[in-house]
Amino acid sequence: MINVTKAFLPPLDDYVQYLEGLWASGWITNNGVLVQELESKLREYLDVPHIQYMSNGTVALQVALKALDITGEVITTPFSYVATTTSILWEKCKPVFVDIEDKTFCIDADKIEAAITKKTTAILATHVYGNPCDVEFIEKIAKKYNLKVIYDAAHAFASNLDGQSVLQQGDAATLSLHATKLFHSVEGGAVIFKHKADYLKAKQLINFGFNAQQFPEFVGINAKMSEMHAAMGLCVLEHIEHITSWRRKLAKRYTELLEPVK
C-alpha cells in the first residue's frame, strides 16, 4: 500500500519520557504544563501574538466564529475540506460561496465584493496547499464593509508572506494539528487571534465558558487538550525543520517528474 499521507512519528523513547513525567505528576489534562509549554513554543515558532491550542481544527473554526460574534452571512470558498463550511452552518450562519483562482485554488478576491450583502458579517477564506490568499485585497474589502476576516490555515502551518507568518493575517487564523498535517499532535487544532480580548474569550469558550474565578460567563464547550496530545506535539515540534525540508524535497521531485505531462 502507498500512503497518500503518513503521520510522522518521533522516536518512541522521546514520547515515553514525557509520559513518565505525567505518570509521576498525575496531571494529565485541564491546561497542564505540557499544554502550556506547547502553546508557548508554537507562539514563538510561528511568530504569532496569541494562540489557543484545542481539540481539533474544526472546533478551532467554530470557536473563531463564536469568539468574533459572527452572525448572518459568511463569504467563503467552495474549495476546502468540508469542515470549513460545516463550521459556518454549526454556528447558525449562512455560507455564501465565491469561486476560486485557477492557479492557487484560493478564493478569488476579485469576486468577493459582488457577494456582499447587508447580512454579510465575515469572510472565511482558506490558504490552499500553503498558498496564501490575496490577504491585502481581502483586508481592504473587509475594512470597507466592516467585516471580520478568518483564515482556515490548516494547510499553512509554517507559510510565510513577505517574510512574515501568514498566520498573522486576519482577525483570526485556524490550524488543524491532525496526524496527517505537517505538524501534528495526533489530534488537535489551534486558533490564532490578532486581538488579546478575542483570545481570552476563546480560552473561556473551550473550557465551558469559565472565567478566572471559575464562573461560567457564557455558554462554552469542552475543547481542552490532554497532556498526552501536547506531549506528542512537543516531540514532533523538535523535528519540524526536518519534516518541512523533506516535504519540500518531495514536492520538488513531484514537480520535476510531472513536468512533461502538463
Side-chain angles (χ1 to χ4, degrees), residues 177-210:
L177 306 182
H178 183 266
T180 56
K181 295 299 188 288
L182 177 76
F183 168 76
H184 77 89
S185 57
V186 184
E187 286 283 358
V191 59
I192 295 98
F193 288 102
K194 179 179 291 183
H195 303 294
K196 187 175 182 179
D198 299 326
Y199 158 73
L200 293 175
K201 185 175 181 181
K203 201 170 191 65
Q204 289 182 239
L205 280 169
I206 71 162
N207 188 29
F208 304 100
F210 288 148

Side-chain angles (χ1 to χ4, degrees), residues 77-79 98-109 125-134 138:
T77 171
F79 192 81
V98 167
D99 207 350
I100 61 174
E101 297 176 345
D102 60 358
K103 288 185 172 61
T104 66
F105 303 114
C106 295
I107 192 169
D108 189 340
T126 300
H127 301 305
V128 181
Y129 307 139
N131 298 311
C133 297
D134 190 342
I138 291 173

Side-chain angles (χ1 to χ4, degrees), residues 4-238:
V4 176
T5 53
K6 185 178 180 181
F8 171 85
L9 291 174
L12 183 58
D13 289 346
D14 293 354
Y15 187 60
V16 170
Q17 192 171 13
Y18 277 110
L19 294 183
E20 288 173 345
L22 296 180
W23 255 251
S25 70
W27 190 359
I28 60 174
T29 190
N30 290 333
N31 198 35
V33 293
L34 298 186
V35 166
Q36 296 176 47
E37 182 182 350
L38 180 59
E39 286 181 339
S40 177
K41 288 187 174 181
L42 287 174
R43 190 181 305 114
E44 180 180 359
Y45 181 78
L46 298 171
D47 190 25
V48 294
H50 312 290
I51 185 167
Q52 178 63 59
Y53 179 48
M54 59 187 69
S55 56
N56 58 67
T58 304
V59 170
L61 284 165
Q62 293 169 205
V63 168
L65 289 161
K66 183 72 76 176
L68 295 172
D69 297 316
I70 305 303
T71 59
E73 295 178 355
V74 178
I75 292 175
T76 192
T77 171
F79 192 81
S80 187
Y81 189 63
V82 64
T84 309
T85 300
T86 56
S87 63
I88 296 171
L89 293 168
W90 192 271
E91 293 306 316
K92 309 283 191 233
C93 297
K94 179 183 177 181
V96 176
F97 296 110
V98 167
D99 207 350
I100 61 174
E101 297 176 345
D102 60 358
K103 288 185 172 61
T104 66
F105 303 114
C106 295
I107 192 169
D108 189 340
D110 289 328
K111 297 177 180 178
I112 290 176
E113 198 164 4
I116 295 173
T117 72
K118 292 180 180 179
K119 296 180 180 180
T120 306
T121 60
I123 301 167
L124 200 174
T126 300
H127 301 305
V128 181
Y129 307 139
N131 298 311
C133 297
D134 190 342
V135 294
E136 290 187 6
F137 193 16
I138 291 173
E139 182 66 18
K140 287 180 181 178
I141 295 170
K143 285 183 177 179
K144 181 179 178 179
Y145 292 94
N146 193 30
L147 305 176
K148 298 290 187 181
V149 178
I150 300 171
Y151 287 108
D152 181 338
H155 289 181
F157 175 78
S159 294
N160 290 313
L161 183 63
D162 298 327
Q164 185 182 62
S165 172
V166 74
L167 300 174
Q168 295 183 19
Q169 300 295 329
D171 296 282
T174 66
L175 292 170
S176 169
L177 306 182
H178 183 266
T180 56
K181 295 299 188 288
L182 177 76
F183 168 76
H184 77 89
S185 57
V186 184
E187 286 283 358
V191 59
I192 295 98
F193 288 102
K194 179 179 291 183
H195 303 294
K196 187 175 182 179
D198 299 326
Y199 158 73
L200 293 175
K201 185 175 181 181
K203 201 170 191 65
Q204 289 182 239
L205 280 169
I206 71 162
N207 188 29
F208 304 100
F210 288 148
N211 59 21
Q213 289 74 42
Q214 291 300 295
F215 291 104
E217 290 187 307
F218 39 73
V219 175
I221 55 174
N222 179 13
K224 302 187 303 295
M225 280 302 272
S226 77
E227 292 290 87
M228 281 77 166
H229 288 88
M232 178 59 76
L234 288 166
C235 287
V236 174
L237 193 60
E238 290 293 321

